[in-house]
Amino acid sequence: MQYRTLSDGRTSFQVSTLCLGAMNFGTRTDEATSRAILDRFVEAGGTFIDTANNYSLWAGGTGRDSEQLLGRWMAERGNRDDLRIATKLGAAQKDPALPLSNTPPTNFEGLSAEVIRRQGPESARQLGIEHIDVLYGHVDDTEVPLAETVGAFGELQRAGLIGIAGISNVPTWRVVEAREEARRQGVAPYGVVQQQYSYLYPAPRLGRNNFVTPGLLDYAASTGTDERPPLAITVYSPLHQGGIARLDKPLWGGVDHPTSHARRTLLHEVAREIGATPNQVALAWLLGAEVPVIPVVGVSSVAQLDEALGAADLVLDADVRARLDAEPGEA
């Protein structure tokens, strides 16, 4: 396992460069299997675990199942101090009688000060911990003034409830604006942003704000100075929910276009040549990029986790990376 430092310029700590996504733990992935995955992750040196306060609500869960399972497991293992726990708020149900949706009307709670003040401490309670290492706004909320959202996260940091604040599913300009607002208020800025990202990426489209963009990578690379505190990028669906490994699996989320199919075929060719799996190559591509990101890997078995762990120390040679990065049709 490899490690890197997360920091917002005031608070810093190390995390494993692979983050374990716990979205389905306690629902689609049963408790015994979830615990076995968590145990194996820690055994392999993993320290960074990611969840949220609304996970698997759409699969018959309560939204808190993952947080609760993590809390029980940490209490029984007595390993809280060895871990860095991230959770998210803002995308739980605003109206319990209505479903959640990725398109309007979403029925998300949003990122008002009231929601942040209420749901941050509640997540800590559900997790059975006194301090949340990373707390994200789950989805950007353009209906609430940034000053209100940023100020509320700052309150939780001053109270010692959270270490580093973050934001997810957000356009880059909003990240920059929020960090500038934090400077104006004298509070710590967002130190982490979580977006979707994989070796396959969508065609540009106005309003598609949930993907890592070259602009976000460039901005993150520019941080780490007194004037511009550090910003790390964590990424979900790095294996495109099985779309990387299986050539026959349909692609989704704007990624289903000829370039993606060509890149996926190339990824499989490279994997065969270097004796790795396509998933391992895809993760190594993210980990070893010029602007490295932290993949949030969701697995449903120990075997899937072991495959992902094989990417932690896989270094792609410069010629292999150049081949993977080449535009279609380039030699």
Side-chain angles (χ1 to χ4, degrees):
M1 186 63 70
Q2 304 296 320
Y3 303 89
R4 63 176 287 184
T5 299
L6 294 189
S7 175
D8 59 10
R10 300 185 184 186
T11 299
S12 301
F13 48 78
Q14 277 201 327
V15 297
S16 53
T17 53
L18 285 178
C19 178
L20 181 62
M23 181 171 71
N24 293 323
F25 288 4
T27 50
R28 287 176 171 168
T29 304
D30 65 64
E31 179 135 356
T33 303
S34 300
R35 287 169 177 269
I37 291 168
L38 287 162
D39 287 341
R40 174 67 183 120
F41 183 65
V42 170
E43 177 189 8
T47 63
F48 199 14
I49 302 174
D50 181 274
T51 186
N53 73 348
N54 74 335
Y55 276 161
S56 285
L57 184 69
W58 46 86
T62 66
R64 296 284 190 181
D65 304 84
S66 175
E67 288 184 333
Q68 292 166 352
L69 187 148
L70 286 173
R72 292 191 296 272
W73 172 76
M74 285 188 289
E76 291 178 11
R77 295 293 185 265
N79 60 2
R80 167 65 185 103
D81 292 343
D82 300 326
L83 304 172
R84 298 301 181 184
I85 303 298
T87 192
K88 311 176 193 71
L89 53 75
Q93 285 171 299
K94 184 176 183 179
D95 183 347
L98 299 175
L100 293 176
S101 171
N102 288 326
T103 58
T106 60
N107 193 31
F108 294 152
E109 279 192 307
L111 297 178
S112 68
E114 187 278 328
V115 168
I116 294 169
R117 291 168 183 155
R118 172 168 48 86
Q119 293 288 19
E122 181 61 18
S123 278
R125 189 182 76 82
Q126 297 284 343
L127 285 159
I129 59 180
E130 296 180 354
H131 177 82
I132 300 169
D133 298 296
V134 178
L135 182 64
Y136 296 95
H138 204 154
V139 179
D140 186 34
D141 185 350
T142 59
E143 297 182 5
V144 172
L146 270 177
E148 178 178 339
T149 298
V150 169
F153 276 114
E155 287 179 19
L156 296 188
Q157 286 172 304
R158 284 193 297 268
L161 182 77
I162 66 175
I164 295 176
I167 188 67
S168 183
N169 298 301
V170 61
T172 300
W173 72 267
R174 291 273 291 177
V175 178
V176 178
E177 287 280 340
R179 281 163 57 90
E180 284 299 301
E181 177 58 32
R183 182 183 58 80
R184 288 190 287 270
Q185 293 190 26
V187 301
Y190 292 146
V192 192
V193 59
Q194 185 173 124
Q195 301 283 88
Q196 186 176 344
Y197 193 37
S198 77
Y199 183 65
L200 312 178
Y201 47 82
R205 190 191 73 188
L206 187 65
R208 180 177 281 133
N209 296 320
N210 62 316
F211 257 82
V212 169
T213 64
L216 178 61
L217 292 169
D218 191 51
Y219 176 68
S222 77
T223 66
T225 66
D226 290 341
E227 298 77 21
R228 192 173 291 166
L231 179 71
I233 301 173
T234 61
V235 299
Y236 65 89
S237 297
L239 302 178
H240 208 72
Q241 297 182 5
I244 292 289
R246 290 177 48 189
L247 293 173
D248 63 331
K249 191 173 180 68
L251 301 178
W252 51 274
V255 170
D256 191 6
H257 52 75
T259 298
S260 284
H261 288 277
R263 285 172 69 84
R264 184 166 62 171
T265 298
L266 173 61
L267 191 71
H268 280 243
E269 292 174 0
V270 168
R272 285 193 297 270
E273 291 170 10
I274 68 173
T277 70
N279 282 341
Q280 290 170 339
V281 175
L283 291 172
W285 180 83
L286 292 168
L287 291 166
E290 184 176 355
V291 183
V293 301
I294 298 174
V296 180
V297 181
V299 298
S300 59
S301 69
V302 172
Q304 289 179 356
L305 174 61
D306 282 338
E307 180 189 12
L309 290 170
D313 296 315
L314 176 61
V315 177
L316 302 177
D317 292 341
D319 57 339
V320 171
R321 181 168 289 278
R323 184 176 167 196
L324 290 169
D325 288 342
E327 297 293 335
E330 289 184 352

